[in-house]
Amino acid sequence: MRPIYPGDLQDASRAMLTVGAPNREGVALSIIKRAQIADRYRKRFSRPHPRFGPGTISAAARSFPLAPVPRSCDQSYLACMRTFLSCLAGTKEHNAS
């Protein structure tokens, strides 16, 4: 997976906002998995994955519907960001083993 920047976190959170709270962790894990798949594809074939892009979180998140950019960080947006970061940390710990 490519380096993660603030825009990646925003796009992941926007994708998660489009589903109900019980489904947000699943969307987060799917975004992470798609970014990993796309990055491996990019490294192997020297071009972006046809559906998931170049291996960034943002490109993977954009394979889902996105909520509008929030005007402020309300509780739902912050909850999405917390969930995404928690899933990301768990994935990185899993890959480090």
Side-chain angles (χ1 to χ4, degrees), residues 8 11 15-16 19 24 27 40 42 47 54 56-57 60 67 72 77 83 88 93-94 97:
D8 294 302
D11 286 344
M16 294 166 65
V19 300
R24 289 178 178 163
V27 171
R40 285 193 302 269
R42 177 189 62 83
R47 63 178 184 258
T56 64
I57 292 293
S72 64
Y77 181 76
T83 299
L88 185 63
E93 289 172 7
H94 177 72
S97 324

Side-chain angles (χ1 to χ4, degrees), residues 1-78:
M1 184 168 34
R2 307 290 293 262
I4 299 169
Y5 297 100
D8 294 302
L9 300 177
Q10 177 177 305
D11 286 344
S13 297
R14 289 174 57 206
M16 294 166 65
L17 280 170
T18 65
V19 300
N23 299 316
R24 289 178 178 163
E25 185 175 324
V27 171
L29 293 170
S30 291
I31 291 169
I32 293 165
K33 184 173 183 164
R34 289 176 183 197
Q36 291 169 335
I37 289 168
D39 194 38
R40 285 193 302 269
Y41 183 95
R42 177 189 62 83
K43 288 175 182 175
R44 182 170 182 191
F45 297 108
S46 299
R47 63 178 184 258
H49 187 278
R51 287 187 50 215
F52 307 143
T56 64
I57 292 293
S58 184
R62 289 173 181 273
S63 68
F64 290 88
L66 298 182
V69 175
R71 292 181 170 252
S72 64
C73 293
D74 65 14
Q75 291 302 311
S76 294
Y77 181 76
L78 291 173

